[in-house]
Amino acid sequence: MKLSVLDQAPISKGDTPEETLRKTIELAKWTESLGYHRYWVAEHHNTSGLASSSPEILMTNIAASTNQIRVGSGGILLPQYSPYKIAENAKTLSAFFPNRIDIGFGNSPGGSPSTQKALTDNHIKPIDDFPRQVSDLQGFLYNSLPRDHKFRLVKAGPRIDNPPPMWLLGLTENGAKNAANLGIGFVFGHFINPKYGKIAMERYYNDFKPSISQQSPSSIVCIFVVCAETDEEAEELALSQDKWLINVSKGRGTKVLSSKEINVEDFTDEEQDLIKKNRKRCIIGSPETVVAKLKELETYYQTDEFMIITNIYNFEDKKKSYKLLADAITE
């Protein structure tokens, strides 16, 4: 089983954005030393609680600060940008860091309607245009646009020999089908909504068509994990993530609070139900508990790679969570 990292650069209460981004670099170095396979950064906009608004810039700094871990985006908001420009950014990154860059992307709007309009300079593309955009991105990356394509003579530079692999982030069977039809990697966002995970993964493997990008299917499942020495300690640490997820869903402040500031008795019945629902997106417990549940999901999803996201308050506890999991997997 391969382990990777998704970092949304969540800002803990009391930290500045600058401190949070420095911790992102530290966490990347730390997880590389532990043997993690990839380190991906997210893209979020118009929020005070997440510092990951520009994945390409974060990727450049992370790749320059590490030696071998693969660095990627999880993921770039393709509908908000030009496939051509994304391809050029991706190729430039790969020219600096050969065979270490992954380009993950999705069709999220990136925030509220006004945020989306600001991102696109008020030129919002129709949602059903996404498959065409993915195809164009592949064409620009691999210089494989059809001869009748209107941009056939426009080449994305620098013209490197080994473009970075493409990964489509999805939550449904439709996203899996798009990835399979184009012959690219598929990342299922269990950490967002696991409801359609099994059917999506089955669709991806059954429909996969070899392409200029890759010859065989590759999948990753992304999931929240909080790991500590004991199940009880992990539950205590996870309170900060529980509260953060509630605040995100209700449009409240999105900075991560300390578990010491959170009184379980203050949760309303609605919030307690929401925590139970959100726990389906998470694995929380001791190393033994976490590994056992990951192995169950490995069989369920038929994947060999999990991307771990841990949005808890204390940075040292976060580092320890990643270490305990890595150590347990290699035993």
Side-chain angles (χ1 to χ4, degrees):
M1 184 189 299
K2 295 176 184 175
L3 295 177
S4 295
V5 179
L6 175 63
D7 187 1
Q8 294 179 318
I11 302 173
S12 292
K13 184 179 178 181
D15 281 357
T16 64
E18 293 87 348
E19 289 169 330
T20 299
L21 291 175
R22 285 195 291 271
K23 288 177 179 178
T24 281
I25 302 301
E26 183 179 342
L27 187 62
K29 293 178 179 179
W30 175 246
T31 51
E32 178 181 55
S33 73
L34 297 173
Y36 280 77
H37 185 54
R38 309 176 202 271
Y39 196 100
W40 284 14
V41 287
E43 178 174 355
H44 292 89
H45 301 280
N46 196 24
T47 172
S48 62
L50 299 172
S52 56
S53 56
S54 182
E56 296 95 337
I57 294 177
L58 275 172
M59 289 165 63
T60 303
N61 202 332
I62 293 166
S65 302
T66 53
N67 298 305
Q68 61 188 27
I69 195 168
R70 297 193 64 88
V71 179
S73 51
I76 293 170
L77 309 178
L78 178 56
Q80 319 315 332
Y81 310 116
S82 152
Y84 178 68
K85 185 57 179 174
I86 293 174
E88 293 210 313
N89 285 343
K91 286 188 169 186
T92 301
L93 276 164
S94 282
F96 277 121
F97 310 103
N99 300 313
R100 289 188 59 202
I101 300 300
D102 297 320
I103 297 301
F105 54 89
N107 64 350
S108 168
S112 66
S114 60
T115 303
Q116 186 181 15
K117 289 179 180 179
L119 279 170
T120 62
D121 197 24
N122 213 26
H123 295 287
I124 297 177
K125 301 165 190 171
I127 191 67
D128 57 4
D129 198 30
F130 182 68
R132 189 274 305 169
Q133 290 179 283
V134 180
S135 180
D136 282 0
L137 176 58
Q138 186 179 48
F140 284 126
L141 279 172
Y142 291 88
N143 193 26
S144 60
L145 291 173
R147 291 191 177 277
D148 59 350
H149 195 286
K150 61 182 177 180
F151 296 135
R152 172 65 180 176
L153 298 180
V154 180
K155 309 300 181 184
R159 301 185 189 183
I160 58 177
D161 292 331
N162 296 303
M166 299 169 61
W167 294 86
L168 191 154
L169 285 62
L171 298 173
T172 65
E173 188 178 2
N174 190 50
K177 184 177 180 180
N178 286 335
N181 286 340
L182 284 170
I184 61 177
F186 180 63
V187 184
F188 178 71
H190 183 107
F191 79 109
I192 298 175
N193 187 350
K195 183 176 181 180
Y196 301 107
K198 188 173 180 61
I199 190 171
M201 203 66 80
E202 289 175 348
R203 171 65 66 186
Y204 174 67
Y205 282 113
N206 290 337
D207 288 7
F208 183 86
K209 300 174 183 176
S211 72
I212 193 170
S213 302
Q214 62 187 63
Q215 292 299 302
S216 57
S218 297
S219 67
I220 305 172
V221 172
C222 186
I223 186 169
F224 282 115
V225 172
V226 178
C227 188
E229 296 282 357
T230 65
D231 289 345
E232 292 75 18
E233 184 182 351
E235 286 289 340
E236 176 68 21
L237 294 177
L239 272 177
S240 60
Q241 184 170 276
D242 289 335
K243 180 64 173 177
W244 179 78
L245 286 171
I246 288 174
N247 288 345
V248 168
S249 68
K250 292 184 174 293
R252 300 172 182 168
T254 52
K255 291 190 177 181
V256 186
L257 304 179
S258 166
S259 297
K260 295 179 181 178
E261 296 183 64
I262 303 167
N263 186 349
V264 178
E265 295 179 356
D266 290 339
F267 287 129
T268 65
D269 289 344
E270 178 193 4
E271 289 174 335
Q272 289 174 348
D273 289 341
L274 187 56
I275 289 173
K276 290 178 182 178
K277 181 179 178 181
N278 284 337
R279 286 300 184 92
K280 296 177 182 178
R281 304 154 62 182
C282 315
I283 300 177
I284 295 163
S286 66
E288 295 77 15
T289 297
V290 172
V291 170
K293 291 183 178 180
L294 281 178
K295 288 184 176 179
E296 289 178 7
L297 288 177
E298 182 180 33
T299 300
Y300 180 77
Y301 283 125
Q302 292 297 297
T303 189
D304 66 351
E305 183 171 353
F306 288 94
M307 190 161 280
I308 308 302
I309 175 171
T310 305
N311 285 0
I312 57 177
Y313 173 80
N314 186 277
F315 184 62
E316 293 303 318
D317 289 332
K318 180 185 293 190
K319 288 172 61 179
K320 185 175 181 180
S321 178
Y322 280 108
K323 177 172 172 49
L324 288 171
L325 176 54
D327 289 347
I329 285 289
T330 56
E331 288 180 356

